[in-house]
Amino acid sequence: MTVVDWSRWQFALTAIYHWLFVPLTLGLSLIVAIMESLYLKSKSEKWLAATKFWMTLFGINFAIGVATGIILEFEFGTNWSNYSWFVGDIFGAPLAIEGLVAFFMESTFVAVMFFGWNKVSPRFHLAATWLTWLGASISALWILVANAWMQYPTGMEFDPAQMRNVMDNFWELFSGIAINKYMHAVFSGWALSGVFVIGVSAWFLLKKRNEGFAVRSIKVGGWLGLVGLLLTMWTGDGSAVEVTKHQPMKLAAMEGLYHGGYSQGIVAAGLVNPSKTWNNDEDEYLFDITVPYGLSILAKHNLNAYVPGISDIVNGIDVNENGDTINTVSYAERIRLGKLAHESLRAYDQARAAHDEAGMNKAVAELKENYQFFGYGYFDSVDEAIPPVGVTFYSFRIMVILGSYFLLYFLVALFAVYRKDWLQKQNWLQWIAIISVPFMWLCSEAGWCVAEVGRQPWTVQDLLPTKAAISEISSASVITTFWLFALIFTVLLVAEVSIMLRQISKYSKTNLEIDNAH
Amino acid sequence: MTLEYLQNYWWLLIAILGALLVFLLFVQGGQSMLLGTSPVRRDLIINSMGRKWELTFTTLVTFGGAFFASFPLFYSTSFGGAYWLWVLILFSFIVQAVSYEFRKKQGNVYGTKTYDIFLFINGCVGCILLGVAVAMFFFGAQFTVTRTNLLDSGSPVISQWVSSHGFEAIFNWRNLVLGFAVLFLARMQAAIYMMNNITDDPKFFANLKRKAFINGAVFVVFFLWFLGILLTAWGYTVIPDAFGTQTVEITPYKYFYNFCEVWQAGIMLLLGVALVLYGWARSCFAKKYTQGIWFTGSGTFLVVVSLFCVAGFNNTPFYPSLIDPASSLTIRNASSSEFTLTAMSYVSIVIPFVLAYIAYVWYSMDKKKLTPGELETTSHKY
């Protein structure tokens, strides 16, 4: 493996760990805020006990989320230094705003939330809890805006003198992709937290301790989770449409689709053929169960729409909205034009050194023409421009199948919890609720795999491939830090899970049923 | 607003964030005192520091983010170049973030002592290495920036650094002098902060006083040493030409001249030093004085702002390259575009509001001081 691979692995490792904790922060902070509001409204100590219990678990999770988050931010510099220069003028802004506007809010008020019970008024405390949630959610907004921008770079132009991109429209950062991505991620956090709360509460029911508390928590977690999941599905649908528009190659990889067509079906379950390439005649799948029309509906909300496959895109074939076959730019041509763009930039630089104004203008005009393919200029063959199909294909299926399962999960949980004294007796259902919890994390991480593996080989779509985005360091250094990070994250994760389990077990033995409301 | 104005404005904001960060490093200073103290005292120190650690951490994150947004060439060159320096700083902050929350929790697998050692490591390593990183603003590093590398498909990275990738900076004695100055400053401020934050424990108060005195004295030695090196050191002066390239000349006593020519920085330095010394001396020698942190804190703030000013203003490259002077980073050639700096400047309007709510929360939370008794009754403690 090269330094590019190791840098990618290190970033992936950090991101995967970070995303273990972030969705729980996003959802649990809301659940805690809702419960504290219910406490202030009802003045019932039982809501206070519930608030404090979930707040404790929130705190354990929060710290480790923060720790992995700072690494991600700094890794853009340490491991992706070329990227940081090439698009830092645009990409840096959301990161800075995240810190200033959101993270300060979150971290200032989280301290009040934990330590302020006897130091500030109940109303101020409640405000602090809501502000912690708000801070976390705004924080996610800026990070996802930044991420979406890499997948759909917009609002900028290339400055040949400085050899970097500069921003020319701030508001374009809030593209359809960005808004969809943000909502998809945040709502999935609500769903994940719903599953977490239901799972933990089911364990209380199984142990027959604090059953009233567990039922109350399942109601809050169940509703929030259901709403979150439905919204996640809705925005997921929106994401598919955006991806079709802006990253057709990613969509094709998600489907393992090489030769597209009209009324394209979707593979509900299947195995991709690992030896299939864009230019051989092998079958796409080893086996597949296909739902007719599925992909056309998903991608274009139209039963009969044409969806191109990987080979079609590489060969530059697509069909427009009127049903006419059109030629797009083939990948071989993109590579040629990309290299031309590099040549124009070199010519510009030489003209500039020679103070040759006319030469500079001519070179810039040529560069502008082909700049949209600048990143392809780094490739020597078309194969380099195709994302890994297997990982993208399977991750997408894991996400969708588990996501659908959890819709059922919430419906059953809510149905069961509102039947008086019924859920308390269904041990099998409680077990299912508990065992399902880790699968929600798998579902959530799989979603990120689709998004991030599917966009390869690009750090900035069409403009900067991963291999040109790196820092000039030895792979030995990155291998060392990769394993150090892997070790420390794992050590801390083990501690976190162990502490959570111990806290849950400890609270199951204390009485959370005190009620002073009457 | 012209581009130049915006570049100056953002350098000043970076200076302010950096200065706040150095002040807030008192949290790390407190952590560096953990080993060798009794368990009861340790709990007290950790719970006092623990209510502020997120603030320091967030300031570090924001400092990084703001630096990225306003001077991306620095982010690209320094972080990718001095790889090991930054990675070690990061490691120390990862282990810090969890340690407060995990140390006393049942089931934490590795035991309280391990987490306290993590905090101790972050306390020492974090301060020293951040000091080293800042010292490089004056004493430079061995790197080159060649933008045309971007067009070399085989080796497209524009910033190249010597192969020791940051270790050479860590083991440079001049950088370490500032590193240790920062460590002892943080320790002194931690003691003075706890004199303010913890009450009801006269014996500990006396102990903190002694700690403030000793650490303050060591700090003064290291700081004067650093100042001596700085004021006698040579530096680069950048002369930009009309074609966007720059000529770089060596100027003896560069930073001494900068303090004179950017006289506001000179005044801030003198005033800052006076405030730190006053806060320190009064905390050590007055009998029951607890407000010293405000003087040492604001003094520290002024000194750090003044150091950033002489590092970046007056045609001085804030990141000098020792092997290729023309590659040195200045606030002109490393900055973001006029558009981005303008957009970010609108965002910077929130800074006073952020500072205001932080101050309000600080006031509300510190109104009731921490007592040893509180740790036995409170529902959330570290």
Side-chain angles (χ1 to χ4, degrees):
Chain A
M1 291 211 302
T2 61
V3 66
V4 181
D5 299 320
W6 279 107
S7 301
R8 280 186 58 203
W9 271 107
Q10 180 166 308
F11 200 83
L13 173 87
T14 320
I16 287 171
Y17 268 92
H18 188 51
W19 193 250
L20 290 176
F21 315 111
V22 171
L24 194 58
T25 300
L26 290 170
L28 210 50
S29 57
L30 182 55
I31 289 174
V32 168
I34 292 172
M35 288 183 169
E36 193 179 337
S37 304
L38 289 169
Y39 159 62
L40 238 65
K41 195 160 170 258
S42 67
K43 299 276 182 285
S44 162
E45 293 278 337
K46 62 187 185 187
W47 279 117
L48 179 63
T51 305
K52 286 196 172 175
F53 171 73
W54 295 110
M55 199 179 276
T56 306
L57 299 191
F58 171 85
I60 297 163
N61 176 69
F62 177 75
I64 191 164
V66 167
T68 44
I70 193 174
I71 308 302
L72 279 180
E73 180 192 0
F74 283 75
E75 272 179 354
F76 285 113
T78 54
N79 295 79
W80 305 101
S81 78
N82 242 23
Y83 170 86
S84 294
W85 171 245
F86 194 63
V87 296
D89 192 62
I90 307 114
F91 188 82
L95 292 199
I97 299 173
E98 189 248 356
L100 275 179
V101 176
F103 196 31
F104 265 118
M105 186 191 285
E106 189 181 0
S107 64
T108 305
F109 290 104
V110 85
V112 181
M113 191 169 117
F114 288 134
F115 301 107
W117 287 110
N118 304 316
K119 293 188 188 257
V120 300
S121 74
R123 276 172 174 279
F124 183 17
H125 191 277
L126 179 67
T129 308
W130 277 105
L131 285 169
T132 303
W133 165 74
L134 187 67
S137 303
I138 300 177
S139 178
L141 172 70
W142 291 105
I143 297 306
L144 287 153
V145 160
N147 177 282
W149 181 86
M150 303 162 89
Q151 322 234 4
Y152 176 53
T154 175
M156 45 85 162
E157 62 173 355
F158 187 72
D159 176 354
Q162 304 201 56
M163 298 211 180
R164 63 160 171 180
N165 295 280
V166 293
M167 200 194 295
D168 65 4
N169 188 329
F170 181 77
W171 300 111
E172 278 186 31
L173 292 181
F174 294 86
S175 62
I177 285 201
I179 300 303
N180 243 303
K181 204 174 241 305
Y182 168 63
M183 296 202 293
H184 194 56
V186 167
F187 293 140
S188 79
W190 294 8
L192 180 138
S193 305
V195 172
F196 176 76
V197 167
I198 292 172
V200 172
S201 305
W203 191 80
F204 279 54
L205 293 181
L206 198 66
K207 292 278 157 190
K208 309 230 171 295
R209 315 265 337 194
N210 292 316
E211 289 179 296
F213 156 81
V215 165
R216 274 193 298 283
S217 295
I218 291 175
K219 284 179 184 167
V220 176
W223 279 114
L224 187 76
L226 179 65
V227 170
L229 191 65
L230 288 172
L231 291 171
T232 307
M233 288 175 156
W234 172 60
T235 50
D237 174 65
S239 283
V241 175
E242 295 284 351
V243 165
T244 310
K245 258 192 261 171
H246 303 295
Q247 296 171 297
M249 185 55 99
K250 186 198 269 188
L251 185 86
M254 279 156 66
E255 276 311 306
L257 181 71
Y258 284 85
H259 298 285
Y262 297 95
S263 307
Q264 185 63 49
I266 195 166
V267 178
L271 284 176
V272 289
N273 178 359
S275 54
K276 172 73 184 162
T277 61
W278 69 276
N279 56 358
N280 72 14
D281 291 332
E282 295 197 24
D283 288 334
E284 295 170 342
Y285 310 104
L286 297 176
F287 100 92
D288 63 295
I289 304 164
T290 301
V291 181
Y293 303 107
L295 190 59
S296 290
I297 298 173
L298 179 82
K300 297 193 171 166
H301 288 181
N302 175 348
L303 229 65
N304 301 315
Y306 176 87
V307 182
I310 292 170
S311 304
D312 305 319
I313 298 168
V314 168
N315 292 321
I317 297 164
D318 201 356
V319 171
N320 69 11
E321 290 124 22
N322 306 327
D324 310 320
T325 304
I326 50 168
N327 286 322
T328 56
V329 186
S330 75
Y331 271 32
E333 181 66 1
R334 290 181 194 210
I335 291 175
R336 191 182 72 82
L337 296 175
K339 290 194 189 297
L340 268 184
H342 287 211
E343 281 314 312
S344 311
L345 184 54
R346 192 169 290 124
Y348 172 87
D349 191 62
Q350 284 158 358
R352 188 163 168 262
H355 308 317
D356 165 13
E357 193 104 353
M360 283 160 72
N361 290 340
K362 181 168 169 276
V364 166
E366 285 167 3
L367 174 63
K368 274 209 170 126
E369 215 162 285
N370 298 319
Y371 184 69
Q372 54 176 318
F373 303 118
F374 187 86
Y376 291 90
Y378 291 100
F379 297 141
D380 293 319
S381 96
V382 165
D383 301 316
E384 289 183 75
I386 298 172
V389 173
V391 181
T392 320
F393 176 87
Y394 295 118
S395 307
F396 183 57
R397 266 135 207 89
I398 290 171
M399 175 184 79
V400 172
I401 292 168
L402 286 175
S404 312
Y405 163 74
F406 282 107
L407 181 62
L408 186 69
Y409 179 98
F410 286 124
L411 291 172
V412 172
L414 283 169
F415 173 75
V417 80
Y418 281 101
R419 278 184 77 176
K420 200 169 169 21
D421 297 331
W422 186 74
L423 182 57
Q424 286 84 325
K425 292 175 209 127
Q426 311 304 317
N427 280 6
W428 63 277
L429 206 54
Q430 295 157 7
W431 271 117
I432 291 176
I434 297 165
I435 294 166
S436 298
V437 173
F439 289 98
M440 186 65 211
W441 261 271
L442 182 62
C443 176
S444 193
E445 295 281 6
W448 273 110
C449 284
V450 176
E452 298 303 303
V453 178
R455 68 141 136 161
Q456 291 302 322
W458 302 109
T459 46
V460 185
Q461 184 73 36
D462 295 345
L463 299 182
L464 188 70
T466 333
K467 71 172 189 180
I470 49 165
S471 303
E472 188 69 27
I473 31 176
S474 66
S475 45
S477 294
V478 187
I479 292 171
T480 314
T481 51
F482 171 85
W483 288 111
L484 282 172
F485 280 126
L487 177 74
I488 192 79
F489 290 159
T490 308
V491 160
L492 298 181
L493 178 68
V494 167
E496 196 228 10
V497 173
S498 161
I499 293 171
M500 279 235 182
L501 294 177
R502 191 65 69 89
Q503 286 289 323
I504 293 166
S505 147
K506 187 178 122 189
Y507 272 87
S508 78
K509 289 171 194 136
T510 45
N511 185 10
L512 299 172
E513 298 297 329
I514 338 129
D515 194 348
N516 66 340
H518 307 292
Chain B
M1 286 183 285
T2 62
L3 178 60
E4 248 179 53
Y5 178 89
L6 288 163
Q7 287 163 333
N8 294 348
Y9 174 70
W10 271 94
W11 184 250
L12 200 60
L13 283 185
I14 294 295
I16 289 171
L17 279 168
L20 284 175
L21 177 63
V22 176
F23 162 58
L24 290 167
L25 281 179
F26 73 77
V27 170
Q28 273 63 29
Q31 289 169 202
S32 76
M33 295 173 175
L34 287 176
L35 294 195
T37 9
S38 71
V40 182
R41 288 266 164 88
R42 219 184 299 156
D43 283 0
L44 213 50
I45 295 176
I46 284 177
N47 277 282
S48 178
M49 297 299 138
R51 294 171 192 194
K52 295 287 178 280
W53 80 264
E54 281 136 335
L55 210 50
T56 312
F57 197 94
T58 308
T59 309
L60 175 64
V61 171
T62 308
F63 178 73
F67 225 143
F68 191 5
S70 49
F71 300 97
L73 191 56
F74 167 77
Y75 208 77
S76 155
T77 303
S78 174
F79 284 56
Y83 187 77
W84 283 103
L85 170 67
W86 292 107
V87 163
L88 290 174
I89 290 175
L90 288 181
F91 267 114
S92 85
F93 278 90
I94 309 175
V95 296
Q96 181 212 24
V98 294
S99 294
Y100 281 108
E101 193 63 40
F102 287 7
R103 66 184 291 270
K104 276 285 177 101
K105 292 268 186 331
Q106 291 172 353
N108 68 13
V109 185
Y110 316 108
T112 304
K113 188 92 198 243
T114 307
Y115 294 99
D116 290 355
I117 291 173
F118 283 168
L119 290 175
F120 174 77
I121 291 174
N122 172 249
C124 300
V125 174
C127 289
I128 294 173
L129 293 189
L130 281 172
V132 167
V134 172
M136 291 164 80
F137 287 174
F138 305 102
F139 306 134
Q142 300 171 48
F143 65 88
T144 57
V145 177
T146 318
R147 289 174 204 197
T148 43
N149 283 358
L150 200 62
L151 296 170
D152 177 354
S153 299
S155 174
V157 183
I158 64 164
S159 304
Q160 311 270 334
W161 198 279
V162 280
S163 60
S164 42
H165 279 296
F167 281 121
E168 81 289 343
I170 298 172
F171 294 111
N172 176 315
W173 69 272
R174 293 197 300 183
N175 294 345
L176 281 174
V177 171
L178 185 61
F180 279 101
V182 171
L183 174 66
F184 285 99
L185 171 73
R187 287 169 62 91
M188 172 191 86
Q189 299 227 76
I192 297 178
Y193 173 76
M194 285 188 279
M195 288 165 69
N196 176 276
N197 183 241
I198 301 170
T199 158
D200 264 7
D201 190 343
K203 260 174 120 179
F204 190 39
F205 189 81
N207 178 276
L208 287 172
K209 227 173 181 174
R210 204 164 46 246
K211 281 196 162 83
F213 177 72
I214 296 168
N215 286 293
V218 180
F219 160 69
V220 169
V221 171
F222 273 108
F223 183 72
L224 290 179
W225 189 3
F226 167 74
L227 213 55
I229 302 170
L230 182 68
L231 295 179
T232 54
W234 58 265
Y236 290 133
T237 302
V238 179
I239 301 141
D241 65 29
F243 300 99
T245 46
Q246 57 183 27
T247 335
V248 176
E249 281 175 3
I250 288 181
T251 311
Y253 303 105
K254 171 69 179 164
Y255 297 98
F256 175 75
Y257 287 123
N258 277 1
F259 273 118
C260 302
E261 284 161 22
V262 188
W263 54 269
Q264 297 91 334
I267 291 175
M268 276 195 281
L269 177 76
L270 294 175
L271 188 63
V273 169
L275 282 168
V276 171
L277 290 178
Y278 173 77
W280 171 58
R282 195 161 165 198
S283 300
C284 296
F285 301 117
K287 216 169 187 184
K288 282 189 175 160
Y289 187 66
T290 60
Q291 304 300 317
I293 186 68
W294 306 118
F295 291 100
T296 58
S298 47
T300 301
F301 178 84
L302 289 176
V303 170
V304 179
V305 171
S306 79
L307 287 175
F308 271 81
C309 287
V310 293
F313 292 143
N314 206 26
N315 296 322
T316 314
F318 70 86
Y319 221 53
S321 167
L322 302 175
I323 48 175
D324 175 29
S327 287
S328 300
L329 308 188
T330 65
I331 60 176
R332 308 281 170 240
N333 70 13
S335 88
S336 277
S337 66
E338 188 169 349
F339 185 93
T340 298
L341 290 180
T342 309
M344 293 293 302
S345 299
Y346 286 116
V347 176
S348 72
I349 295 171
V350 304
I351 292 177
F353 295 97
V354 173
L355 290 176
Y357 72 66
I358 290 174
Y360 179 70
V361 165
W362 186 308
Y363 164 77
S364 314
M365 297 292 287
D366 279 27
K367 225 172 8 186
K368 291 184 193 162
K369 300 297 177 192
L370 184 65
T371 62
E374 181 183 336
L375 292 184
E376 282 153 29
T377 54
T378 181
S379 63
H380 199 104
K381 66 175 177 196
Y382 291 132

